[in-house]
Amino acid sequence: MDTTPHSDRSRDLSQPLDKLGPDETLKANSNYLRGTIEKSLVDDLTASVTPNDAKLMKFFGIYQQDDRDFRDERRRQKLESAFFFMARLRLPGGVCSPAQWLKLDALARAYAGDTLRLTTRQTFQFHRVMKHDLRTVIRGLRDVLIDTRAACGDDTRGVMCGVNPLLSRLHSEVYALAKQASDHAVHKTRAYPEIWYGAERESSDAPEEPFYGRTYMPRKFKIGFAIPPSNDIDVYSQDLGFIAIANRGKLAGFNVAIGGGLGRTDQDPKTYPRLADVIGYVDAGRLIQTIDAIMSVQRDYGDRVDRMHARFKYTIDEKGIDWIKGEIEQRLGFPLARARSCTFTSNGDLLGWSKGEDGREHRTLFIENGRIANSEAHPALDGLREIARAHKGCFRLTPNQNLIIADVAPEDRAGIEAMIEAYHLDQPKSRSGLRLNAMACVALPTCGLAMAESERYLPDLISKIEVMLATHGLTDDPITIRMTGCPNGCARPYIAEIGLTGRAPGKYNLYLGGGFHGQRLNKMYLENAGEQAILAALDKVLEHYARDRKKGEPFGDFAIRAGYVAEVKEGRHFND
Ligand code: SRM
Ligand code: SF4
């Protein structure tokens, strides 16, 4: 990485530490994220850790949470909240081996409430891990070469990579680079092995964080690699998106997109979702250099006073895209080439069996909202454990919370399919195009920021919408719908054709008009609406769509053409 001796370049370029936000002081004084975490972990008087340690632990992929279903009752009983922890894995590109799957399955059964949760950024989350089990879980992950570094916190986060099963060679080339990018950009503090593995503290003069320095990034920084024609990773929602450009099936380089981000804060107009701008093209050999240059611009110029305004998208809008591009090129030492032409067709997954150009087969399973658990009708955890025991290829988590049993030899296909059937893994029974293109964030009861239900509610809401779809003859149409329990946008609702974001229990903002392949933000159609109002509104628009759509016209495009919402133009992006 950029190994400019760290003297907290961010501060050299902006203001002294005491003029910055409190999280900057916390990071700077944490001794490279150590804080007092070791002490907090062994404090038997509480199931929680100190507030500062809880913040620092995010850099290690761990969130302190409590069960919100029981929060009020415990308060009434004057009991401490029912604290536990969520652990998010670093799994670049969502690829994991059967041996790794079996380990995750065992850890989930022993320490994480018998469930695995696939996320919208292609990794696993364990929920409900008790404080005293955290080290065991993280050491268990180490046994299969997985860690939780930087899965949260002010750093690179999980690096995504499109799954496109049809393009085997391109996928493996891009995936290798996505993994390299993650290994390169992940924080390097020796606090991780010390705290979680019990490693001795090294006395070394080598800088702990040659790139980040003591204050890391101003905010999370997300990187993703798309492989056209699939935009499954929603490349325009990444802080830094790379769009693979191939030459005769072989990777040549990437179009570079910067400044995507979807989070917004309720009632705060200075926060908004924004889609990335494509600023040029780089050869694949210059990828890591490009990541360094771009991340260092945000490291040095991102807002370190107001965390609500600290994502790269705001730095770009403040400074101007031309200025930012110039700064990046100066740090690179060469100008970016003109972006190459490329086409996306959808941001969904190709479900069922598909055959790669190398003849290997891939089975994409629909996993409703990424939740893998056992129920009588649907023993998904057990079924996938059986498959992992037999499977000789790998698993790929998709950016749409689905799962690919990947790299199956043609002669093994029938055996895999038999297990899928035996364990009813192809649930649910009603498989409308809408349901198969739906995503919901976790929300209640574990997410501390949720204002409304999401994962526990969207399946039922879809069942009600499916009645209308059947009436209007739209059951098989692949319409995207995404719901979140608050405006933060964890299921990327602002680029769905139908987006719902929670405002209060039972109340959602309804957005329409997102681009079918992730190219356009949607726009608010109803504010703070309850179920009846949402269903009535959708019924009207769906009926009109069924009657008046042009051939092949996606639902989001129709919602704009028919005047239900105005188009969100390129450039600065607001969707209210
Ligand atoms: Fe997210 C915070 C879950 C993808 C934007 N997100 C959270 C937290 C950690 C709540 C918290 O801070 O206390 C949620 C944990 C809930 C729980 O109980 O598990 C949470 N986010 C998720 C996941 C698990 C949703 C899911 O159901 O799959 C996704 C995990 C991805 C991963 O593997 O790393 C997840 N979050 C996203 C995405 C989508 C993406 O990155 O592609 C976004 C929008 C894109 C973006 O970042 O702009 C997203 N999450 C946020 C934000 C708003 C950030 C902002 O700029 O304003 C927050 C709140 C924050 O950071 O302050 C947040
Ligand atoms: Fe929680 Fe909001 Fe993210 Fe949903 S969108 S997981 S409610 S932070």
Side-chain angles (χ1 to χ4, degrees):
M1 302 202 84
D2 169 0
T3 47
T4 311
H6 121 67
S7 53
D8 286 318
R9 300 180 48 160
S10 52
R11 285 200 282 136
D12 295 340
L13 289 166
S14 55
Q15 301 168 45
L17 192 55
D18 61 0
K19 297 277 186 289
L20 305 181
D23 286 57
E24 296 302 309
T25 312
L26 173 67
K27 287 182 271 181
N29 295 336
S30 70
N31 190 10
Y32 298 102
L33 309 176
R34 287 174 181 81
T36 57
I37 295 174
E38 291 199 295
K39 207 164 140 216
S40 273
L41 288 178
V42 294
D43 178 356
D44 287 337
L45 291 176
T46 169
S48 65
V49 300
T50 67
N52 280 349
D53 288 339
K55 280 190 181 174
L56 295 172
M57 280 164 67
K58 294 182 188 180
F59 289 79
F60 304 133
I62 296 165
Y63 267 78
Q64 179 168 299
Q65 300 183 321
D66 69 294
D67 191 325
R68 295 185 55 188
D69 286 348
F70 297 102
R71 195 186 271 182
D72 289 347
E73 180 55 29
R74 290 184 72 93
R75 265 190 203 143
R76 265 194 293 281
Q77 293 185 27
K78 302 205 177 352
L79 291 170
E80 178 178 86
S81 294
F83 289 115
F84 46 66
F85 292 81
M86 177 267 273
R88 187 182 287 163
L89 278 50
R90 182 170 74 96
L91 199 71
V95 176
C96 102
S97 69
Q100 288 173 325
W101 185 284
L102 291 173
K103 186 67 177 192
L104 302 186
D105 173 274
L107 292 171
R109 290 172 197 264
Y111 306 108
D114 290 303
T115 163
L116 284 169
R117 177 59 155 70
L118 314 184
T119 74
T120 54
R121 293 189 69 79
Q122 298 178 286
T123 190
F124 296 90
Q125 283 187 180
F126 293 122
H127 285 105
R128 299 178 184 273
V129 181
M130 301 309 291
K131 182 170 82 171
H132 54 261
D133 291 327
L134 277 171
R135 279 184 166 134
T136 313
V137 169
I138 292 178
R139 286 173 194 185
L141 293 173
R142 180 186 53 171
D143 293 346
V144 289
L145 306 179
I146 294 178
D147 61 62
T148 60
R149 284 174 215 255
C152 315
D154 297 345
D155 43 41
T156 45
R157 301 299 185 102
V159 173
M160 298 177 82
C161 176
V163 292
N164 200 335
L166 303 177
L167 301 173
S168 321
R169 177 164 167 187
L170 200 53
H171 178 268
S172 67
E173 286 180 302
V174 178
Y175 165 67
L177 288 175
K179 181 154 183 343
Q180 192 189 341
S182 171
D183 293 342
H184 175 77
V186 70
H187 58 60
K188 303 291 185 286
T189 173
R190 294 185 288 273
Y192 191 85
E194 284 168 23
I195 296 171
W196 303 107
Y197 305 154
E200 287 290 314
R201 188 169 295 197
E202 275 177 44
S203 64
S204 160
D205 291 336
E208 289 222 43
E209 295 288 9
F211 175 81
Y212 289 115
R214 288 190 301 148
T215 48
Y216 294 81
M217 294 296 277
R219 201 70 163 82
K220 58 180 84 171
F221 191 93
K222 297 182 171 178
I223 302 176
F225 293 76
I227 306 174
S230 168
N231 188 20
D232 52 0
I233 71 152
D234 279 323
V235 69
Y236 302 116
S237 71
Q238 313 285 330
D239 292 278
L240 172 53
F242 290 104
I243 302 166
I245 303 293
N247 188 358
R248 295 196 189 129
K250 196 172 163 2
L251 181 67
F254 298 95
N255 283 349
V256 181
I258 62 168
L262 300 182
R264 61 193 290 271
T265 307
D266 202 30
Q267 316 275 29
D268 183 351
K270 78 170 187 300
T271 66
Y272 48 86
R274 181 188 194 280
L275 295 189
D277 297 287
V278 175
I279 56 167
Y281 166 91
V282 281
D283 290 332
R286 289 173 150 177
L287 176 78
I288 297 295
Q289 199 185 345
T290 307
I291 292 175
D292 280 355
I294 295 174
M295 280 187 72
S296 71
V297 170
Q298 164 65 355
R299 176 196 63 193
D300 297 344
Y301 290 102
D303 187 338
R304 289 182 184 261
V305 177
D306 179 0
R307 277 183 76 74
M308 290 298 137
H309 191 250
R311 292 293 293 271
F312 194 25
K313 59 184 173 180
Y314 303 122
T315 318
I316 292 172
D317 284 345
E318 296 274 282
K319 301 270 182 197
I321 189 77
D322 292 340
W323 187 91
I324 292 279
K325 184 171 179 239
E327 186 69 20
I328 291 166
E329 289 177 335
Q330 198 188 329
R331 290 172 189 225
L332 277 172
F334 59 86
L336 292 166
R338 273 171 78 94
R340 306 278 165 90
S341 88
C342 67
T343 309
F344 287 121
T345 51
S346 109
N347 59 1
D349 288 341
L350 199 63
L351 296 168
W353 283 100
S354 51
K355 191 184 258 192
E357 60 203 344
D358 59 358
R360 307 287 285 182
E361 309 220 28
H362 310 273
R363 175 65 151 92
T364 309
L365 282 173
F366 171 68
I367 308 282
E368 194 153 44
N369 303 326
R371 178 65 65 187
I372 299 178
N374 279 331
S375 69
E376 212 172 305
H378 189 207
L381 198 63
D382 287 353
L384 288 165
R385 180 174 61 181
E386 260 340 273
I387 289 177
R389 284 176 178 151
H391 182 37
K392 300 187 207 78
C394 66
F395 293 95
R396 289 189 205 160
L397 279 56
T398 83
N400 289 294
Q401 300 171 320
N402 294 320
L403 178 69
I404 305 186
I405 304 162
D407 208 10
V408 177
E411 61 273 21
D412 294 334
R413 174 176 163 157
I416 297 282
E417 193 56 36
M419 284 185 269
I420 290 171
E421 272 173 39
Y423 286 91
H424 311 297
L425 294 180
D426 252 344
Q427 295 282 336
K429 285 267 175 288
S430 71
R431 292 161 63 84
S432 61
L434 186 78
R435 192 182 296 275
L436 298 178
N437 285 282
M439 283 206 284
C441 72
V442 179
L444 293 165
T446 55
C447 178
L449 305 178
M451 298 153 86
E453 294 283 353
S454 182
E455 181 188 324
R456 296 195 295 195
Y457 172 51
L458 185 62
D460 291 344
L461 183 71
I462 289 179
S463 298
K464 291 176 186 167
I465 302 172
E466 279 171 338
V467 176
M468 301 169 190
L469 293 172
T471 310
H472 305 314
L474 295 172
T475 298
D476 295 329
D477 284 67
I479 298 169
T480 56
I481 181 169
R482 296 174 177 178
M483 173 180 273
T484 56
C486 84
N488 279 321
C490 296
R492 300 189 287 275
Y494 305 115
I495 26 185
E497 295 181 293
I498 303 173
L500 290 152
T501 63
R503 295 287 306 278
K507 299 282 183 196
Y508 297 83
N509 287 351
L510 169 65
Y511 295 82
L512 297 176
F516 185 67
H517 50 89
Q519 79 281 21
R520 181 181 63 233
L521 289 172
N522 50 25
K523 204 159 169 64
M524 190 155 69
Y525 181 63
L526 285 183
E527 190 170 11
N528 221 11
E531 184 178 283
Q532 286 316 315
I534 292 167
L535 290 175
L538 288 179
D539 195 27
K540 183 170 117 189
V541 190
L542 287 167
E543 185 278 324
H544 191 181
Y545 176 58
R547 193 163 29 88
D548 267 6
R549 66 178 153 169
K550 293 183 184 158
K551 190 161 184 286
E553 185 178 31
F555 181 68
D557 292 6
F558 172 81
I560 292 169
R561 182 173 64 81
Y564 290 101
V565 286
E567 180 165 7
V568 177
K569 299 278 184 205
E570 298 301 311
R572 281 183 70 142
H573 304 277
F574 300 90
N575 68 352
D576 283 351

